[in-house]
Amino acid sequence: MKLPDFEAWAVFAAVIEHRSFSGAATALAVSKATVSKAITRLEARLGTSLFHRTSRRLTLTESGRALADHAQRIRAEGEAAEEAAFESATAPAGLVRVAAPLTFGIQAVAPIVAEFMALHPGIRVDLRLSDALIDIVGDGIDIALRIAELPDSSLRARSLGPVRVHIVGAPEYFARAGRPRHPADLANHACFVYTNMATPDLWRFRRAGGEEAGVHVEGPMRTDSGDAMLPALRAGLGIARLPEFLVGEDLAAGRLETVLDDWSSGAAGLHLLTPPGTLRPVRVEALIDYLADRLRRICNKVR
């Protein structure tokens, strides 16, 4: 039996990451023809097409999508093995791609990354901040931070701690519409809906003693950004369910108030995700450990 064509698998992973043959060629410092030949060679060996090719677009076939995780893992573990061989002689170096939610990324992740880069001048960080869900494997992300309940997946996940969530509104809103005393009361309130969730219109609650409640909410605003809700909240236009790092300053200043404090609103937690595989480059492991340590401290501090 022939050995696997590791070079072709690594090239396949690079094309997935850069979404083009030319982009992969530039990143790998080889010709576009070399990339094309490697993909053709791998397709012939596997007996299936990996990409749909048109003059304007390159997309993965069903087979390509099924094999994408394997390609990324082969490439990452190859890089990790090489870096491990040189670790004792050289400091970690190279690029690490990190994804995080927008506001949390600005407030918490960016300062930690800056500290890390000062300690490791040979490491570069591509920090991508967005509240939208991303394809960690397809986008070539090394580390992703998410605040949510995580579905089952092939990704490796590390729980870093809880993220406190509040039901909030302006004093003016509560003076006009009344304060909900039970989660069921929210059905009669103007609730802002955060759409980057599996069931955005269903808010679930639990309180000491085990009582649970779920309520379908609606209101004048739907958005994929918690920050975008704040002006309307401060203006007294409704109620929202938001994490403490977003509303902490407004609560301290009295611009917003919490309700239903004896209920826990969901099971939000901060998680660090990485692609499948057990081996990672030294530079990635170093940043994972640094982020995990610092972010755990932040979560424990605000509990």
Side-chain angles (χ1 to χ4, degrees):
M1 179 179 178
K2 290 184 179 180
L3 286 173
D5 190 341
F6 294 113
E7 180 185 41
W9 279 103
V11 169
F12 176 38
V15 175
I16 294 170
E17 177 181 341
H18 297 281
R19 295 185 173 86
S20 71
F21 282 21
S22 58
T26 299
L28 298 173
V30 298
S31 69
K32 184 177 177 181
T34 298
V35 171
S36 180
K37 289 177 182 177
I39 297 300
T40 299
R41 195 169 68 239
L42 185 60
E43 289 178 326
R45 178 155 185 167
L46 297 174
T48 187
S49 296
L50 299 173
F51 295 100
H52 296 297
R53 302 169 176 85
T54 69
S55 58
R56 294 185 178 182
R57 195 177 179 193
L58 184 73
T59 58
L60 286 166
T61 63
E62 190 66 32
S63 296
R65 282 193 294 273
L67 294 170
D69 282 1
H70 295 287
Q72 296 285 8
R73 189 180 310 168
I74 289 168
R75 182 184 177 190
E77 294 193 354
E79 289 178 351
E82 289 187 351
E83 287 199 15
F86 293 107
E87 180 181 5
S88 60
T90 60
L95 179 66
V96 183
R97 296 177 178 85
V98 181
L102 180 59
T103 302
F104 185 76
I106 294 171
Q107 292 183 0
V109 180
I112 296 173
V113 166
E115 294 172 6
F116 177 83
M117 292 171 64
L119 295 172
H120 301 278
I123 296 180
R124 297 173 291 119
V125 177
D126 177 357
L127 181 58
R128 307 181 188 184
L129 302 180
S130 172
D131 289 336
L133 291 179
I134 59 168
D135 181 353
I136 293 174
V137 174
D139 290 344
I141 300 298
D142 298 300
I143 304 168
L145 295 160
R146 285 186 180 165
I147 298 173
E149 288 187 84
L150 293 182
D152 292 335
S153 76
S154 62
L155 300 175
R156 300 181 68 196
R158 185 183 304 190
S159 178
L160 301 183
V163 175
R164 194 172 181 185
V165 177
H166 298 288
I167 307 299
V168 298
E172 294 81 1
Y173 175 83
F174 294 128
R176 182 179 71 253
R179 300 174 71 89
R181 305 297 179 185
H182 187 277
D185 297 338
L186 292 171
N188 299 316
H189 282 266
C191 297
F192 299 162
V193 175
Y194 178 69
T195 56
N196 277 336
M197 300 181 70
T199 55
D201 303 296
L202 176 61
W203 293 3
R204 298 186 183 276
F205 297 83
R206 178 184 298 220
R207 67 176 171 185
E211 183 181 357
E212 297 183 357
V215 58
H216 287 274
V217 299
E218 60 181 23
M221 188 176 200
R222 298 175 67 87
T223 177
D224 61 359
S225 168
D227 289 278
M229 297 181 184
L230 293 176
L233 281 172
R234 294 167 186 149
L237 302 181
I239 296 175
R241 182 176 63 170
L242 291 172
E244 184 162 308
F245 66 81
L246 262 180
V247 297
E249 290 186 6
D250 286 287
L251 292 174
R255 291 185 293 268
L256 297 177
E257 297 178 353
T258 62
V259 293
L260 301 174
D261 293 331
D262 54 338
W263 292 83
S264 171
S265 177
L270 175 62
H271 305 276
L272 188 152
L273 307 180
T274 55
T278 57
L279 290 178
R280 287 184 287 261
V282 174
R283 63 183 184 274
V284 176
E285 287 286 1
L287 183 50
I288 286 174
D289 291 341
Y290 197 83
L291 282 168
D293 176 66
R294 293 299 308 279
L295 290 172
R296 277 199 183 101
R297 293 189 209 174
I298 291 174
C299 289
N300 290 332
K301 183 178 179 181
V302 300
R303 288 178 70 177

